[in-house]
Amino acid sequence: MSHRLTMQDLTLKFTSSHVNPLDDKVDGTKTTIWQTPEGSLYRVIERRVEFSVSTLVPSGWIRLLHLRKTSDKIATPDEAMSLWLGIQNLPEPKTEA
């Protein structure tokens, strides 16, 4: 059984709000990137009504999870990432011997 990651295991590597080049105003999109102890990178992009959780692979970013702020009751990038980690840490199904 491998170590189950929590938010405390991740290192915040980057956070940025996107600026619209036409009017120099923040456009409501925010990117947050974390690194695992093994070196894997995870990214959460926050838009006005949604979050997208992705991981970096050799061919680029692969989306793992798409969340709606209201229906999924997620308010921050940390909550979105924490939800993904929770999905990865679901208990294994019990098997009868």
Side-chain angles (χ1 to χ4, degrees):
M1 180 185 227
S2 64
H3 172 71
R4 295 174 179 229
L5 289 175
T6 66
M7 288 300 291
Q8 290 76 28
D9 297 320
L10 304 181
T11 302
L12 181 64
K13 298 302 277 185
F14 177 81
T15 186
S16 172
S17 295
H18 297 240
V19 175
N20 183 331
L22 298 176
D23 59 12
D24 290 331
K25 293 183 181 175
V26 174
D27 70 3
T29 303
K30 181 179 178 182
T31 299
T32 307
I33 298 175
W34 291 272
Q35 185 173 26
T36 67
E38 296 80 24
S40 299
L41 294 176
Y42 287 97
R43 174 180 74 181
V44 174
I45 295 179
E46 176 183 1
R47 294 183 182 87
R48 294 181 201 274
V49 297
E50 64 191 11
F51 290 96
S52 179
V53 180
S54 305
T55 190
L56 186 61
V57 297
S59 59
W61 290 99
I62 301 289
R63 183 165 51 175
L64 304 167
L65 186 63
H66 182 84
L67 302 163
R68 304 285 295 177
K69 287 184 177 181
T70 53
S71 59
D72 293 312
K73 298 182 175 101
I74 302 295
T76 67
D78 285 11
E79 289 178 6
M81 188 64 207
S82 188
L83 180 63
W84 172 251
L85 294 175
I87 291 170
Q88 298 309 297
N89 293 331
L90 290 175
E92 296 182 19
K94 294 180 183 176
T95 57
E96 297 291 324

